[in-house]
mmCIF file of all heavy atoms in Angstrom:
data_model
loop_
_atom_site.group_PDB
_atom_site.id
_atom_site.type_symbol
_atom_site.label_atom_id
_atom_site.label_comp_id
_atom_site.label_asym_id
_atom_site.label_seq_id
_atom_site.Cartn_x
_atom_site.Cartn_y
_atom_site.Cartn_z
ATOM 1 N N SER B 47 -18.045 -5.614 0.162
ATOM 2 C CA SER B 47 -17.744 -7.048 0.279
ATOM 3 C C SER B 47 -16.185 -7.152 0.188
ATOM 4 O O SER B 47 -15.410 -6.235 -0.041
ATOM 5 C CB SER B 47 -18.352 -7.934 -0.835
ATOM 6 O OG SER B 47 -17.755 -7.600 -1.995
ATOM 7 N N LYS B 48 -15.650 -8.353 0.451
ATOM 8 C CA LYS B 48 -14.327 -8.595 0.391
ATOM 9 C C LYS B 48 -13.719 -8.333 -1.039
ATOM 10 O O LYS B 48 -12.753 -7.689 -1.227
ATOM 11 C CB LYS B 48 -13.865 -10.060 0.855
ATOM 12 C CG LYS B 48 -12.432 -10.357 0.914
ATOM 13 C CD LYS B 48 -12.229 -11.724 1.331
ATOM 14 C CE LYS B 48 -10.711 -11.901 1.516
ATOM 15 N NZ LYS B 48 -10.417 -13.283 1.841
ATOM 16 N N GLU B 49 -14.540 -8.893 -1.920
ATOM 17 C CA GLU B 49 -14.080 -8.717 -3.295
ATOM 18 C C GLU B 49 -14.056 -7.224 -3.742
ATOM 19 O O GLU B 49 -13.210 -6.693 -4.396
ATOM 20 C CB GLU B 49 -14.990 -9.464 -4.297
ATOM 21 C CG GLU B 49 -14.643 -9.356 -5.707
ATOM 22 C CD GLU B 49 -15.508 -10.152 -6.605
ATOM 23 O OE1 GLU B 49 -16.109 -11.271 -6.111
ATOM 24 O OE2 GLU B 49 -15.637 -9.882 -7.765
ATOM 25 N N GLY B 50 -15.111 -6.538 -3.201
ATOM 26 C CA GLY B 50 -15.200 -5.089 -3.569
ATOM 27 C C GLY B 50 -13.941 -4.347 -2.945
ATOM 28 O O GLY B 50 -13.424 -3.481 -3.547
ATOM 29 N N LEU B 51 -13.555 -4.830 -1.800
ATOM 30 C CA LEU B 51 -12.312 -4.181 -1.216
ATOM 31 C C LEU B 51 -11.097 -4.463 -2.017
ATOM 32 O O LEU B 51 -10.261 -3.585 -2.251
ATOM 33 C CB LEU B 51 -12.060 -4.739 0.239
ATOM 34 C CG LEU B 51 -10.878 -4.071 0.989
ATOM 35 C CD1 LEU B 51 -11.272 -3.889 2.421
ATOM 36 C CD2 LEU B 51 -9.747 -5.170 0.943
ATOM 37 N N LEU B 52 -11.016 -5.680 -2.455
ATOM 38 C CA LEU B 52 -9.914 -6.102 -3.320
ATOM 39 C C LEU B 52 -9.904 -5.261 -4.656
ATOM 40 O O LEU B 52 -8.733 -4.903 -5.001
ATOM 41 C CB LEU B 52 -10.016 -7.633 -3.730
ATOM 42 C CG LEU B 52 -9.032 -8.465 -3.202
ATOM 43 C CD1 LEU B 52 -9.099 -9.913 -3.768
ATOM 44 C CD2 LEU B 52 -7.565 -8.018 -3.428
ATOM 45 N N VAL B 53 -11.023 -5.111 -5.206
ATOM 46 C CA VAL B 53 -11.037 -4.212 -6.444
ATOM 47 C C VAL B 53 -10.433 -2.835 -6.060
ATOM 48 O O VAL B 53 -9.700 -2.349 -6.868
ATOM 49 C CB VAL B 53 -12.532 -4.172 -6.847
ATOM 50 C CG1 VAL B 53 -12.605 -3.117 -8.014
ATOM 51 C CG2 VAL B 53 -12.992 -5.541 -7.438
ATOM 52 N N GLU B 54 -10.923 -2.301 -5.002
ATOM 53 C CA GLU B 54 -10.403 -0.980 -4.597
ATOM 54 C C GLU B 54 -8.948 -0.961 -4.401
ATOM 55 O O GLU B 54 -8.210 -0.003 -4.670
ATOM 56 C CB GLU B 54 -11.166 -0.466 -3.473
ATOM 57 C CG GLU B 54 -12.699 -0.092 -3.792
ATOM 58 C CD GLU B 54 -12.740 0.858 -4.972
ATOM 59 O OE1 GLU B 54 -12.017 1.809 -5.009
ATOM 60 O OE2 GLU B 54 -13.685 0.484 -5.824
ATOM 61 N N VAL B 55 -8.445 -2.045 -3.787
ATOM 62 C CA VAL B 55 -7.055 -2.087 -3.544
ATOM 63 C C VAL B 55 -6.224 -2.105 -4.773
ATOM 64 O O VAL B 55 -5.242 -1.454 -5.014
ATOM 65 C CB VAL B 55 -6.582 -3.315 -2.663
ATOM 66 C CG1 VAL B 55 -5.140 -3.705 -2.636
ATOM 67 C CG2 VAL B 55 -7.214 -3.207 -1.254
ATOM 68 N N VAL B 56 -6.742 -2.923 -5.813
ATOM 69 C CA VAL B 56 -6.088 -2.951 -7.125
ATOM 70 C C VAL B 56 -6.063 -1.581 -7.739
ATOM 71 O O VAL B 56 -5.134 -1.194 -8.238
ATOM 72 C CB VAL B 56 -6.851 -4.035 -7.944
ATOM 73 C CG1 VAL B 56 -6.338 -3.879 -9.405
ATOM 74 C CG2 VAL B 56 -6.541 -5.469 -7.433
ATOM 75 N N ARG B 57 -7.232 -0.977 -7.700
ATOM 76 C CA ARG B 57 -7.331 0.356 -8.272
ATOM 77 C C ARG B 57 -6.291 1.292 -7.651
ATOM 78 O O ARG B 57 -5.705 2.161 -8.280
ATOM 79 C CB ARG B 57 -8.732 0.963 -8.101
ATOM 80 C CG ARG B 57 -9.741 0.294 -9.145
ATOM 81 C CD ARG B 57 -10.859 1.192 -9.325
ATOM 82 N NE ARG B 57 -11.965 0.499 -10.162
ATOM 83 C CZ ARG B 57 -13.277 0.523 -9.787
ATOM 84 N NH1 ARG B 57 -13.612 1.266 -8.775
ATOM 85 N NH2 ARG B 57 -14.161 -0.107 -10.484
ATOM 86 N N GLU B 58 -6.275 1.228 -6.308
ATOM 87 C CA GLU B 58 -5.384 2.219 -5.582
ATOM 88 C C GLU B 58 -3.898 1.807 -6.115
ATOM 89 O O GLU B 58 -3.072 2.855 -6.199
ATOM 90 C CB GLU B 58 -5.504 1.887 -4.191
ATOM 91 C CG GLU B 58 -4.524 2.727 -3.238
ATOM 92 C CD GLU B 58 -4.786 4.243 -3.283
ATOM 93 O OE1 GLU B 58 -5.812 4.646 -3.754
ATOM 94 O OE2 GLU B 58 -3.891 4.977 -2.771
ATOM 95 N N ILE B 59 -3.565 0.717 -6.178
ATOM 96 C CA ILE B 59 -2.190 0.301 -6.656
ATOM 97 C C ILE B 59 -1.965 0.805 -8.013
ATOM 98 O O ILE B 59 -0.877 1.421 -8.227
ATOM 99 C CB ILE B 59 -2.048 -1.240 -6.789
ATOM 100 C CG1 ILE B 59 -2.272 -1.912 -5.408
ATOM 101 C CG2 ILE B 59 -0.686 -1.616 -7.276
ATOM 102 C CD1 ILE B 59 -0.979 -2.067 -4.582
ATOM 103 N N GLU B 60 -2.914 0.727 -8.947
ATOM 104 C CA GLU B 60 -2.773 1.305 -10.220
ATOM 105 C C GLU B 60 -2.624 2.859 -10.149
ATOM 106 O O GLU B 60 -1.813 3.356 -10.776
ATOM 107 C CB GLU B 60 -3.972 1.017 -11.158
ATOM 108 C CG GLU B 60 -3.886 -0.501 -11.574
ATOM 109 C CD GLU B 60 -5.158 -0.713 -12.445
ATOM 110 O OE1 GLU B 60 -6.312 -0.224 -12.106
ATOM 111 O OE2 GLU B 60 -5.065 -1.593 -13.339
ATOM 112 N N ARG B 61 -3.410 3.433 -9.307
ATOM 113 C CA ARG B 61 -3.266 4.866 -9.079
ATOM 114 C C ARG B 61 -1.901 5.300 -8.681
ATOM 115 O O ARG B 61 -1.272 6.273 -9.106
ATOM 116 C CB ARG B 61 -4.360 5.326 -8.098
ATOM 117 C CG ARG B 61 -5.198 6.561 -8.497
ATOM 118 C CD ARG B 61 -6.320 6.745 -7.492
ATOM 119 N NE ARG B 61 -7.391 5.840 -7.602
ATOM 120 C CZ ARG B 61 -7.969 5.218 -6.555
ATOM 121 N NH1 ARG B 61 -7.546 5.436 -5.356
ATOM 122 N NH2 ARG B 61 -8.945 4.372 -6.726
ATOM 123 N N ARG B 62 -1.371 4.618 -7.813
ATOM 124 C CA ARG B 62 -0.038 4.932 -7.278
ATOM 125 C C ARG B 62 1.031 4.732 -8.307
ATOM 126 O O ARG B 62 1.956 5.418 -8.464
ATOM 127 C CB ARG B 62 0.230 4.143 -6.038
ATOM 128 C CG ARG B 62 -0.635 4.409 -4.814
ATOM 129 C CD ARG B 62 -0.035 3.725 -3.545
ATOM 130 N NE ARG B 62 -1.010 3.868 -2.414
ATOM 131 C CZ ARG B 62 -0.842 3.488 -1.217
ATOM 132 N NH1 ARG B 62 0.278 2.902 -0.888
ATOM 133 N NH2 ARG B 62 -1.742 3.759 -0.242
ATOM 134 N N GLN B 63 0.845 3.638 -9.114
ATOM 135 C CA GLN B 63 1.838 3.382 -10.186
ATOM 136 C C GLN B 63 1.750 4.569 -11.197
ATOM 137 O O GLN B 63 2.845 5.018 -11.656
ATOM 138 C CB GLN B 63 1.470 2.069 -10.819
ATOM 139 C CG GLN B 63 1.997 0.924 -10.089
ATOM 140 C CD GLN B 63 2.188 -0.327 -10.996
ATOM 141 O OE1 GLN B 63 1.729 -0.326 -12.126
ATOM 142 N NE2 GLN B 63 2.817 -1.409 -10.493
ATOM 143 N N ARG B 64 0.587 4.893 -11.630
ATOM 144 C CA ARG B 64 0.474 6.028 -12.509
ATOM 145 C C ARG B 64 1.111 7.275 -11.984
ATOM 146 O O ARG B 64 1.752 8.019 -12.683
ATOM 147 C CB ARG B 64 -1.001 6.332 -12.862
ATOM 148 C CG ARG B 64 -1.468 5.501 -14.111
ATOM 149 C CD ARG B 64 -2.798 6.216 -14.597
ATOM 150 N NE ARG B 64 -3.824 6.309 -13.674
ATOM 151 C CZ ARG B 64 -4.674 5.333 -13.378
ATOM 152 N NH1 ARG B 64 -4.608 4.130 -13.982
ATOM 153 N NH2 ARG B 64 -5.639 5.471 -12.494
ATOM 154 N N ALA B 65 0.894 7.611 -10.594
ATOM 155 C CA ALA B 65 1.487 8.721 -10.006
ATOM 156 C C ALA B 65 3.006 8.621 -10.042
ATOM 157 O O ALA B 65 3.701 9.698 -10.435
ATOM 158 C CB ALA B 65 0.995 8.883 -8.582
ATOM 159 N N ALA B 66 3.524 7.514 -9.786
ATOM 160 C CA ALA B 66 4.940 7.188 -9.788
ATOM 161 C C ALA B 66 5.482 7.457 -11.270
ATOM 162 O O ALA B 66 6.515 8.085 -11.483
ATOM 163 C CB ALA B 66 5.337 5.886 -9.285
ATOM 164 N N LEU B 67 4.637 6.979 -12.215
ATOM 165 C CA LEU B 67 5.064 7.070 -13.538
ATOM 166 C C LEU B 67 5.116 8.483 -14.033
ATOM 167 O O LEU B 67 6.053 8.933 -14.665
ATOM 168 C CB LEU B 67 4.071 6.300 -14.388
ATOM 169 C CG LEU B 67 4.264 6.231 -15.957
ATOM 170 C CD1 LEU B 67 5.547 5.509 -16.196
ATOM 171 C CD2 LEU B 67 3.095 5.441 -16.574
ATOM 172 N N ALA B 68 4.145 9.344 -13.597
ATOM 173 C CA ALA B 68 4.111 10.608 -13.946
ATOM 174 C C ALA B 68 5.320 11.407 -13.402
ATOM 175 O O ALA B 68 5.584 12.512 -14.001
ATOM 176 C CB ALA B 68 2.784 11.310 -13.418
ATOM 177 N N SER B 69 5.835 10.952 -12.321
ATOM 178 C CA SER B 69 6.940 11.679 -11.806
ATOM 179 C C SER B 69 8.345 11.403 -12.261
ATOM 180 O O SER B 69 9.359 11.904 -11.994
ATOM 181 C CB SER B 69 6.986 11.518 -10.238
ATOM 182 O OG SER B 69 7.511 10.251 -9.930
ATOM 183 N N VAL B 70 8.344 10.396 -13.225
ATOM 184 C CA VAL B 70 9.630 9.967 -13.835
ATOM 185 C C VAL B 70 10.051 11.072 -14.837
ATOM 186 O O VAL B 70 9.182 11.675 -15.420
ATOM 187 C CB VAL B 70 9.438 8.650 -14.458
ATOM 188 C CG1 VAL B 70 10.711 8.340 -15.377
ATOM 189 C CG2 VAL B 70 9.263 7.538 -13.489
ATOM 190 N N ASP B 71 11.269 11.129 -15.033
ATOM 191 C CA ASP B 71 11.770 12.238 -15.972
ATOM 192 C C ASP B 71 11.476 11.774 -17.372
ATOM 193 O O ASP B 71 12.153 10.876 -17.928
ATOM 194 C CB ASP B 71 13.277 12.396 -15.680
ATOM 195 C CG ASP B 71 13.860 13.344 -16.735
ATOM 196 O OD1 ASP B 71 13.107 14.188 -17.328
ATOM 197 O OD2 ASP B 71 15.117 13.289 -16.934
ATOM 198 N N PHE B 72 10.521 12.382 -18.065
ATOM 199 C CA PHE B 72 10.203 12.003 -19.325
ATOM 200 C C PHE B 72 10.512 13.168 -20.357
ATOM 201 O O PHE B 72 9.855 13.320 -21.443
ATOM 202 C CB PHE B 72 8.717 11.575 -19.522
ATOM 203 C CG PHE B 72 8.438 10.228 -19.122
ATOM 204 C CD1 PHE B 72 7.526 9.889 -18.216
ATOM 205 C CD2 PHE B 72 9.397 9.196 -19.485
ATOM 206 C CE1 PHE B 72 7.262 8.607 -17.836
ATOM 207 C CE2 PHE B 72 9.162 7.858 -19.130
ATOM 208 C CZ PHE B 72 8.157 7.512 -18.294
ATOM 209 N N ASP B 73 11.510 13.919 -20.047
ATOM 210 C CA ASP B 73 11.958 14.890 -20.941
ATOM 211 C C ASP B 73 12.524 14.249 -22.266
ATOM 212 O O ASP B 73 13.330 13.303 -22.116
ATOM 213 C CB ASP B 73 13.220 15.650 -20.284
ATOM 214 C CG ASP B 73 13.702 16.778 -21.156
ATOM 215 O OD1 ASP B 73 13.337 16.789 -22.305
ATOM 216 O OD2 ASP B 73 14.464 17.644 -20.627
ATOM 217 N N PRO B 74 11.893 14.657 -23.353
ATOM 218 C CA PRO B 74 12.291 14.019 -24.619
ATOM 219 C C PRO B 74 13.778 14.136 -24.997
ATOM 220 O O PRO B 74 14.301 13.320 -25.646
ATOM 221 C CB PRO B 74 11.459 14.782 -25.639
ATOM 222 C CG PRO B 74 10.421 15.464 -24.928
ATOM 223 C CD PRO B 74 10.854 15.706 -23.570
ATOM 224 N N ALA B 75 14.425 15.080 -24.225
ATOM 225 C CA ALA B 75 15.819 15.129 -24.439
ATOM 226 C C ALA B 75 16.613 14.032 -23.728
ATOM 227 O O ALA B 75 17.769 13.658 -24.150
ATOM 228 C CB ALA B 75 16.381 16.633 -23.900
ATOM 229 N N THR B 76 15.998 13.448 -22.750
ATOM 230 C CA THR B 76 16.715 12.276 -22.036
ATOM 231 C C THR B 76 16.738 11.106 -22.848
ATOM 232 O O THR B 76 15.805 10.656 -23.587
ATOM 233 C CB THR B 76 15.897 11.894 -20.759
ATOM 234 O OG1 THR B 76 15.669 13.188 -19.930
ATOM 235 C CG2 THR B 76 16.623 10.955 -19.939
ATOM 236 N N ALA B 77 17.941 10.513 -22.954
ATOM 237 C CA ALA B 77 18.081 9.279 -23.733
ATOM 238 C C ALA B 77 17.295 8.138 -23.089
ATOM 239 O O ALA B 77 17.117 8.031 -21.929
ATOM 240 C CB ALA B 77 19.571 8.919 -23.707
#
Side-chain angles (χ1 to χ4, degrees):
Chain B
S47 66
K48 185 184 185 180
E49 182 179 332
L51 180 137
L52 245 187
V53 170
E54 290 306 311
V55 167
V56 167
R57 283 205 192 131
E58 174 71 12
I59 298 272
E60 285 180 322
R61 228 174 283 135
R62 293 188 185 187
Q63 281 201 349
R64 267 200 304 275
L67 184 60
S69 75
V70 172
D71 176 22
F72 279 133
D73 184 347
T76 306

